[in-house]
Amino acid sequence: MAPTTQPRENRLLALLPEEVYRAVAPRLEPCPIPRGFMIVHADAPIEYAYFPCSGIGSVINVSPEGNRVEAGLFGRDGFSPTAAAIDAGISISEVTVQVPGFAYRLPQAALLDLMRTQPVFAGLLHKCVHVLATQAGFTALSNAVHEINERLARWILMCHDRIDGDRLALTHEFIALMLAVRRPSVTTSLHVLEGKHFIRSLRGMVIVRDRAGLEEFASDAYGKAEEEYERLIGPLRKSRRDVRIESAGASFVSPKGRTAL
């Protein structure tokens, strides 16, 4: 069955000029990315670069003793592992899928070949590498100076940026890993945000109820990396109008699925 997701549902691929996209598209391989899918293991060779059209992935740093913490988060706004774009050979971080979705991937050799022959494509990937590094820097800053409630608000906003709708399929265990805190601390913090009517917390699900209130509460924990993405690449979050248009279009998809552009 043909995939119903088009490559251009990834923000980076959508920004490519038509002639560049025509060079890239035939080399893309469709790939479901279920929860727990390992894009690359830490210290393992990089075989593919993944361009998600939906879902959320995490870049996780693992210490020699096995301690783990999230260093970056990405979805349809980018690609991973970013080390693929500099021909690093291996990824020092683990990259795994936390919210299931669908992606297109390029073999490492194809990615490097396209970057050599398509400078616009290469330039866009380099900008994305910079933005993810900026995000990681502000994650380190937030971990150092903000309380867990503000950090959780920031993290929920970052996930919300990368999905359609307001429902985030997130477990307490996963949130605890991403924030490097104990699970009881996550439960308490979720109750704080729920008490302020910013979210609703269910088993395995967080529903965003008041995004504007969540942004105000997060204060300077959220926004700087997102501004850098929009300055260099473009809008990070789909507007509600975009989502309505795509949802309306989906009703006309044939049983055989859309044909990728």
Side-chain angles (χ1 to χ4, degrees):
M1 181 179 292
T4 59
T5 301
Q6 300 180 33
R8 278 180 163 163
E9 290 180 37
N10 175 274
R11 285 280 194 261
L12 300 182
L13 299 178
L15 288 171
L16 295 176
E18 187 61 32
E19 64 275 14
V20 179
Y21 180 75
R22 286 177 181 172
V24 173
R27 306 180 77 169
L28 294 168
E29 302 176 3
C31 179
I33 47 172
R35 186 194 305 274
F37 180 81
M38 191 67 65
I39 287 177
V40 65
H41 290 275
D43 300 317
I46 298 171
E47 297 182 2
Y48 296 93
Y50 288 77
F51 294 77
C53 297
S54 57
I56 296 174
S58 290
V59 180
I60 300 172
N61 286 345
V62 185
S63 76
E65 295 184 358
N67 295 309
R68 296 155 57 84
V69 67
E70 184 183 62
L73 182 150
F74 67 95
R76 61 189 174 204
D77 56 307
F79 76 104
S80 192
T82 54
I86 61 167
D87 195 15
I90 66 168
S91 172
I92 63 169
S93 301
E94 174 186 300
V95 184
T96 186
V97 175
Q98 305 296 355
V99 176
F102 195 89
Y104 285 83
R105 68 185 188 183
L106 281 170
Q108 172 72 15
L111 179 80
L112 295 175
D113 181 56
L114 286 166
M115 291 183 70
R116 283 191 295 267
T117 59
Q118 305 295 332
V120 172
F121 181 57
L124 194 58
L125 297 192
H126 289 154
K127 289 178 180 179
C128 189
V129 172
H130 163 73
V131 170
L132 189 62
T134 301
Q135 182 199 112
F138 278 93
T139 295
L141 174 65
S142 185
N143 288 345
V145 304
H146 295 119
E147 299 293 334
I148 183 175
N149 295 339
E150 288 79 13
R151 289 167 55 201
L152 178 59
R154 171 184 183 261
W155 192 78
I156 290 173
L157 287 165
M158 291 169 64
C159 290
H160 194 229
D161 286 337
R162 292 162 172 85
I163 65 161
D164 295 329
D166 299 317
R167 292 175 171 263
L168 298 165
L170 304 170
T171 65
H172 289 201
E173 290 87 352
F174 168 54
I175 297 172
L177 170 63
M178 296 305 99
L179 296 180
V181 297
R182 298 176 61 200
R183 178 179 170 176
S185 299
V186 170
T187 302
T188 300
S189 190
L190 284 169
H191 287 162
V192 170
L193 299 185
E194 190 168 30
K196 294 180 179 294
H197 307 291
F198 298 150
I199 65 167
R200 185 179 179 194
S201 178
L202 304 173
R203 183 178 179 84
M205 178 77 64
V206 173
I207 303 171
V208 177
R209 300 177 60 190
D210 180 2
R211 181 180 170 97
L214 203 58
E215 287 189 22
E216 183 177 2
F217 180 81
S219 188
D220 70 341
Y222 171 84
K224 195 65 177 177
E226 289 71 26
E227 289 174 5
E228 185 71 345
Y229 184 96
E230 297 198 354
R231 182 179 76 85
L232 292 176
I233 299 175
L236 179 60
R237 178 165 172 77
K238 289 184 180 181
S239 69
R240 292 188 179 276
R241 177 177 178 274
D242 290 338
V243 174
R244 286 198 300 270
I245 290 173
E246 290 177 4
S247 296
S251 63
F252 296 101
V253 176
S254 73
K256 294 183 179 180
R258 299 191 190 113
T259 300
L261 294 178

